[in-house]
Amino acid sequence: MIDASMSRPVYITTPIYYVNDRPHIGHAYTTMISDVVARGCRLQGRTVFFLTGTDEHGAKVEKSATARGVTPQALADVNAAEFQRVLRLFDISNDDFIRTTQPRHTRQVQAMIKALQARGAITLGTFSGWYDEGQEEYYTETRAKELDYKSPISGKSLIRASEENYYFRLSEFQGRLEEFFNANPDFIQPSGRFNEVRGRLREGLQDVPVTRTNFSWGIPFPDDKRHVIYVWIDALMNYASALGLAWPLARDLGVPSIEGCAGSTASGAGLESDDATLAQLYESRAHFWPAHTHVIGKEILWFHAVIWPAMLMALELPLPKRIHAHSFWIADGQKMSKSMGNFVDLETIDRFVAHYGLDAWRWYMATQGPLQAADADFRASHFHETYTADLVNLVGNCASRVGAMIAKYCGGTLPDDAERGGEWPIRCEKAIVQWREAMDAFDLNAAARAPLELLREIDAFIHHTEPFKLAKDPANLARVESILSQSARTIRVAGVLLAPFLPTKMDELATAFGGSALGPVHAAGSHCNEFDSVVSFHLPKVGVSIAKLALFPRIDIVASA
Ligand code: MSP
């Protein structure tokens, strides 16, 4: 049900992406589905803060940089710029882009670490365990055994490692986490993933090291410069630092600037400005916490579902409302890998976007992607079938057919409807409710199906009532006008609901069918003040011009590379 929580501000985040890699379908997917939800929320009038960014510290980045003969900061600068370029290319409506080398972030990380130390949640000790070098992650004995002492990601052997470290007393949060999970059965989606996390939690929690001494590319540990902060701890804190949640802490604990930590040349409007400006900015952002949804891939769920909530508990901050851990894209039935040459990289994405258009790419991502527990197979033939069935044959065809009939029989303007909409206002209402519930539940497939179903019903309505035959007898004019008015109005409503998925094409539809473009109201920093009226069946006035339009051309399948 749509309830009062719908008026709460919405904070949506993606993972921050490692800068040792170029953007590929995985990054594009997570970002794109988050964008659809962000736009869906803004359209309903909610204020949204949508965050993405880059994760720039750690041994992996240091190693990649060394291999390329550049400094880690230089590598981070190049790849962070590339991620930002791609966001613009895909018209992603993020409200901020955080880079973990920005002083606004590093200062707050140091402050949060200091606070955790002061509360006894971080202490010095010796740690040993099974270490995954690629993932920079330690596993418990039980987990390592389950994994056959091999990395679940790279397949390489885990190594036995031991270090003197500062560590986070995760074990002390076992009871509180269990209680929290019991009280919040929807905390992790899909539910199967939640069960996995709870199963692993029952095995017992071990303390986790939060510093490293074997490399230097990281945020220095406050007051002990031999250590740098473990990249995962630094990274998770981005969700809090972007809103400035630890800014007052940084001030109170006297963390004015980062000694020995490379400042960056990073972008971000006004975000490298003076403290007073930042303080003001952060005041306006704090109310977005707690997060509405952290959108992530399944492989990083443990960090988000267990370590992050425990850190927040220790910092006495409220916990996020939901974590959505989607599955993976595979390609042509196999795991994507660069060596197999089936990796859907930026060039491949560009080829699809150039051929089918950006909206079609978004549509495929949002409706055919691995949002739930199963992986999804990226296949050109499947892409093409989806494009043709949903966008050409249904959305495009329905709009062009009705537009053409209105041109032919009604002089190109929205006719009067003596039947006052018949059953269509109620059907539209039903679709709107389904769409809102599905959007709120992050069920993009169901959210897309609601307007598609309306369009299917309009197709059947036209097929059944045959206005093109009725129009041959002038005595039927009033009936023809009613049919076409009802169809055009319903198509426009469907177009509003499809706008978060197909922002460009649905603006074309809205303006052609007597409404106005919605793009500006679901763009970053904006929201719709009058959703109920925008989505009202009755919005367009009788007599407004209805244009003929060809939204999605019928085209051949994209050529392979
Ligand atoms: N830097 C960490 C995240 C820190 S968040 C506090 C990281 N970065 S990453 O660059 O490796 O990006 C991982 C994310 O990319 C995944 O969680 C997922 O969102 C996305 N994907 C990477 N490959 C993917 C697929 N093949 N399919 C779908 N998404 C996947 O981990």
Side-chain angles (χ1 to χ4, degrees):
M1 281 308 292
I2 311 301
D3 54 37
S5 65
M6 292 294 278
S7 57
R8 260 199 60 76
V10 171
Y11 183 29
I12 297 174
T13 66
T14 75
I16 46 171
Y17 304 113
Y18 284 130
V19 284
N20 57 332
D21 210 357
R22 293 192 65 221
H24 57 65
I25 188 174
H27 312 121
Y29 174 66
T30 313
T31 314
M32 202 80 78
I33 56 174
S34 307
D35 185 67
V36 172
V37 174
R39 288 179 187 271
C41 289
R42 294 192 193 106
L43 193 54
Q44 293 175 73
R46 304 181 74 173
T47 44
V48 171
F49 195 79
F50 169 24
L51 180 72
T52 187
T54 39
D55 188 355
E56 308 192 352
H57 291 122
K60 248 203 269 203
V61 175
E62 191 178 80
K63 238 188 202 164
S64 289
T66 312
R68 290 173 170 85
V70 295
T71 64
Q73 186 66 60
L75 176 68
D77 285 345
V78 168
N79 278 345
E82 178 69 353
F83 272 99
Q84 283 169 293
R85 184 185 71 83
V86 170
L87 291 176
R88 285 192 298 275
L89 204 68
F90 290 161
D91 200 16
I92 297 297
S93 65
N94 56 307
D95 294 275
D96 194 1
F97 185 94
I98 190 154
R99 299 185 52 187
T100 56
T101 53
Q102 288 170 327
R104 62 163 165 147
H105 171 75
T106 52
R107 286 170 72 172
Q108 292 186 71
V109 169
Q110 290 199 321
M112 284 185 265
I113 294 285
K114 276 191 168 204
L116 289 169
Q117 262 187 300
R119 289 166 198 196
I122 285 182
T123 48
L124 189 64
T126 305
F127 184 88
S128 60
W130 291 102
Y131 189 60
D132 180 339
E133 286 181 295
Q135 286 302 100
E136 297 180 38
E137 185 179 357
Y138 272 97
Y139 297 107
T140 60
E141 182 60 44
T142 329
R143 180 86 185 123
K145 198 167 171 189
E146 253 172 39
L147 295 170
D148 199 19
Y149 302 95
K150 298 216 167 63
S151 162
I153 307 296
S154 66
K156 287 195 188 136
S157 295
L158 302 176
I159 59 163
R160 190 79 202 155
S162 131
E163 302 170 29
E164 181 179 74
N165 276 316
Y166 287 90
Y167 58 104
F168 175 54
R169 311 290 295 266
L170 184 64
S171 56
E172 295 188 356
F173 293 87
Q174 173 106 20
R176 283 179 68 187
L177 283 169
E178 277 168 4
E179 254 168 56
F180 176 77
F181 287 174
N182 289 339
N184 295 278
D186 297 326
F187 181 53
I188 294 165
Q189 304 282 342
S191 56
R193 299 250 175 269
F194 202 174
N195 295 338
E196 284 166 24
V197 169
R198 297 173 91 157
R200 206 173 142 188
L201 184 63
R202 276 194 292 273
E203 290 166 15
L205 289 177
Q206 303 214 347
D207 297 342
V208 287
V210 295
T211 57
R212 295 284 187 269
T213 46
N214 54 345
F215 63 89
S216 60
W217 183 239
I219 302 176
F221 193 82
D223 308 323
D224 188 349
K225 299 293 180 288
R226 291 171 306 156
H227 293 260
V228 292
I229 298 164
Y230 174 38
V231 61
W232 261 104
I233 300 301
D234 157 8
L236 287 166
M237 287 176 169
N238 92 87
Y239 302 129
S241 72
L243 299 184
L245 298 188
W247 196 250
L249 264 181
R251 192 193 47 216
D252 297 349
L253 296 173
V255 188
S257 63
I258 303 296
E259 194 195 317
C261 184
S264 90
T265 53
S267 60
L271 294 172
E272 295 310 308
S273 43
D274 61 272
D275 286 11
T277 317
L278 274 177
Q280 221 176 19
L281 180 80
Y282 289 149
E283 234 166 76
S284 71
R285 287 184 177 182
H287 70 291
F288 282 103
W289 191 260
H292 171 276
T293 309
H294 289 313
V295 186
I296 57 166
K298 61 183 176 183
E299 86 288 16
I300 57 176
L301 179 57
W302 185 252
F303 288 105
H304 285 81
V306 172
I307 299 179
W308 178 227
M311 272 166 32
L312 288 167
M313 284 174 177
L315 288 165
E316 291 168 25
L317 284 169
L319 267 49
K321 294 283 167 221
R322 178 170 60 194
I323 294 168
H324 190 100
H326 63 70
S327 302
F328 269 37
W329 279 104
I330 55 173
D332 298 314
Q334 284 170 319
K335 189 174 185 295
M336 288 194 304
S337 90
K338 287 184 182 148
S339 55
M340 298 224 328
N342 67 347
F343 212 84
V344 181
D345 56 14
L346 203 50
E347 286 65 36
T348 314
I349 300 175
D350 276 344
R351 203 153 42 79
F352 276 78
V353 170
H355 190 72
Y356 293 99
L358 180 56
D359 280 8
W361 172 267
R362 290 173 67 93
W363 183 256
Y364 187 66
M365 291 290 102
T367 63
Q368 307 298 320
L371 194 58
Q372 303 301 329
D375 287 345
D377 194 10
F378 187 92
R379 270 180 297 123
S381 57
H382 185 227
F383 190 110
H384 189 76
E385 284 156 20
T386 306
Y387 171 77
T388 307
D390 295 346
L391 302 182
V392 179
N393 292 348
L394 194 51
V395 183
N397 189 45
C398 204
S400 84
R401 209 173 165 201
V402 169
M405 283 193 280
I406 289 181
K408 195 159 169 195
Y409 308 125
C410 315
T413 62
L414 188 66
D416 201 359
D417 172 16
E419 298 168 11
R420 296 282 157 255
E423 66 200 58
W424 292 101
I426 304 270
R427 288 194 181 196
C428 287
E429 252 335 291
K430 211 178 96 199
I432 294 162
V433 171
Q434 282 170 352
W435 177 88
R436 293 188 80 161
E437 287 178 358
M439 268 289 169
D440 197 50
F442 211 89
D443 186 349
L444 296 187
N445 225 314
R449 263 198 321 273
L452 279 199
E453 204 40 54
L454 268 185
L455 295 176
R456 247 182 229 115
E457 287 171 4
I458 286 293
D459 259 356
F461 177 54
I462 290 170
H463 180 75
H464 182 72
T465 55
E466 302 187 311
F468 39 89
K469 281 195 185 154
L470 291 177
K472 290 185 180 139
D473 181 352
N476 293 328
L477 184 64
R479 175 67 179 139
V480 170
E481 287 185 345
S482 284
I483 294 170
L484 294 179
S485 163
Q486 291 163 18
S487 302
R489 289 175 183 277
T490 303
I491 291 171
R492 194 199 64 85
V493 171
V496 174
L497 305 183
L498 289 170
F501 299 88
L502 306 167
T504 310
K505 292 294 177 175
M506 291 307 102
D507 272 0
E508 274 180 46
L509 175 66
T511 43
F513 272 53
S516 48
L518 295 168
V521 300
H522 52 72
S526 182
H527 63 264
C528 179
N529 284 319
E530 43 190 19
F531 178 67
D532 289 342
S533 125
V534 163
V535 82
S536 161
F537 179 84
H538 302 287
L539 176 82
K541 291 207 167 51
V542 173
V544 291
S545 68
I546 303 288
K548 288 205 275 184
L549 77 175
L551 289 171
F552 297 101
R554 194 172 296 283
I555 45 179
D556 289 335
I557 190 166
V558 66
S560 46

